[in-house]
Amino acid sequence: MSKDPLVSTAWLYERLSAPDIQIVDASWYMPSEARDPQREYERAHIPGAVFFDIDEIADTDSGLPHMLPSPAKFASRVQAMGLGDGSTIVVYDGGGLRAARTWWAFRAMGHENVVVLDGGLSKWIAEGRPVEDLPPSPQERHFTPRYSADLVRDKAQVLRAIESGREQLVDARPAARFTAEAPEPREGLRGGHMPGARNVPSSTVIAPDGTLLPADKLKAVFEAAGVELDKPIVTTCGSGVTASILALALARLGRPRVAVYDGSWTEWGGLPDTPVVTGPA
């Protein structure tokens, strides 16, 4: 089993003032949730945390939501936030472990020393730990991007995976969207899933208290969905956020190099010619 990709609230609390720990609020919400992550961050965040906007630190010309930016843009943005080489980056969010997207993004840019706060801000506050509303004053820090292509998949690579069967596709969307029984939240997308994909809704890997399930329970969830944990895996979802939660869960199971399909269903389901299957897997 490799190093766990999550840290506890107690672990972070003991290291709040450590100079090599950099804390990042990477909260993100669907429009239907009617929550403003930037405003919530300004009202209360873990002391010293900076805000990472996945919709701005992105390829804003792609036409798809929060796609990975170029390494140069990523480095420029995080350097200005005081995030860089030699630091341990701890990412958290306001609920649902969606900070996994930013965890994956840092690793896709070559920064492996990044972890997710298990339970996020909700658990932190529930335990009576400190928050502040002070704007940060980060000192710029050098960040060396080293793009890790093995952690990223595009449409052409997913098509080849379907044709060859060499990589398993694991979809993090809710079951009703996977089967096309429920509509997609984004307009203009077909319902269903990619041929051969397995369905592991991201909610099924998260415990009631918002923490990631322990390894034995995670293993049971993936195996029940027909995922072979010893074979290559690519995760997908609506727009690459909850797919990253599955990648995080698989990292806890000793599979740290799982790839994420960045465009996910927003790209795939929005095209007229990509193969789509409806009904259960």
Side-chain angles (χ1 to χ4, degrees), residues 98-142:
R98 293 172 188 171
R101 170 70 188 193
T102 301
W103 166 83
W104 169 77
F106 270 99
R107 296 175 63 247
M109 295 297 168
H111 191 94
E112 289 290 337
N113 202 8
V114 55
V115 290
V116 174
L117 181 65
D118 206 7
L121 186 63
S122 298
K123 189 172 190 290
W124 181 271
I125 290 174
E127 294 169 347
R129 303 192 189 275
V131 294
E132 65 181 16
D133 59 3
L134 301 174
S137 300
Q139 292 186 336
E140 186 161 329
R141 187 168 186 161
H142 183 70

Side-chain angles (χ1 to χ4, degrees), residues 5-9 11-13 15-16 20-26 46 48-50 52 83 87-93 99 102-103 106 111 113-118 120 124:
L6 297 100
V7 295
S8 69
T9 50
W11 183 95
L12 180 58
Y13 180 71
R15 294 163 176 82
L16 268 183
D20 61 336
I21 299 291
Q22 307 295 323
I23 307 171
V24 177
D25 185 322
I46 294 176
V50 294
F52 189 106
L83 308 173
S87 60
T88 296
I89 296 172
V90 181
V91 295
Y92 73 86
D93 59 85
T102 301
W103 166 83
F106 270 99
H111 191 94
N113 202 8
V114 55
V115 290
V116 174
L117 181 65
D118 206 7
W124 181 271

Side-chain angles (χ1 to χ4, degrees), residues 24-27 29 35-53 92 94 121 125 131-136:
V24 177
D25 185 322
S27 298
Y29 306 104
R35 295 180 65 176
D36 184 334
Q38 173 84 51
R39 184 165 294 181
E40 290 184 22
Y41 162 80
E42 291 169 355
R43 286 201 297 259
H45 53 263
I46 294 176
V50 294
F51 182 72
F52 189 106
D53 184 347
Y92 73 86
L121 186 63
I125 290 174
V131 294
E132 65 181 16
D133 59 3
L134 301 174

Side-chain angles (χ1 to χ4, degrees), residues 76-236:
S76 173
R77 294 295 193 273
V78 301
Q79 283 177 166
M81 296 162 66
L83 308 173
D85 302 343
S87 60
T88 296
I89 296 172
V90 181
V91 295
Y92 73 86
D93 59 85
L97 293 179
R98 293 172 188 171
R101 170 70 188 193
T102 301
W103 166 83
W104 169 77
F106 270 99
R107 296 175 63 247
M109 295 297 168
H111 191 94
E112 289 290 337
N113 202 8
V114 55
V115 290
V116 174
L117 181 65
D118 206 7
L121 186 63
S122 298
K123 189 172 190 290
W124 181 271
I125 290 174
E127 294 169 347
R129 303 192 189 275
V131 294
E132 65 181 16
D133 59 3
L134 301 174
S137 300
Q139 292 186 336
E140 186 161 329
R141 187 168 186 161
H142 183 70
F143 181 92
T144 306
R146 300 179 182 88
Y147 184 67
S148 299
D150 67 310
L151 293 178
V152 187
R153 293 291 181 273
D154 61 20
K155 183 193 71 171
Q157 291 169 318
V158 172
L159 281 168
R160 288 197 293 272
I162 292 170
E163 292 166 3
S164 69
R166 291 176 184 166
E167 293 181 314
Q168 301 169 93
L169 299 173
V170 184
D171 194 321
R173 291 176 300 151
R177 287 169 58 192
F178 180 84
T179 59
E181 294 173 273
E184 286 296 307
R186 294 179 175 87
E187 291 184 10
L189 303 185
R190 293 178 291 161
H193 58 269
M194 300 155 196
R198 300 294 182 178
N199 186 211
V200 179
S202 61
S203 61
T204 63
V205 304
I206 300 173
D209 66 353
T211 59
L212 192 67
L213 291 177
D216 58 338
K217 293 185 177 179
L218 287 174
K219 185 173 184 288
V221 168
F222 282 102
E223 289 181 343
V227 179
E228 297 181 65
L229 294 170
D230 59 343
K231 294 184 178 180
I233 295 170
V234 176
T235 63
T236 181

Side-chain angles (χ1 to χ4, degrees), residues 47-66:
V50 294
F51 182 72
F52 189 106
D53 184 347
I54 68 170
D55 287 317
E56 196 284 321
I57 306 176
D59 179 0
T60 52
D61 296 325
S62 75
L64 296 169
H66 39 256

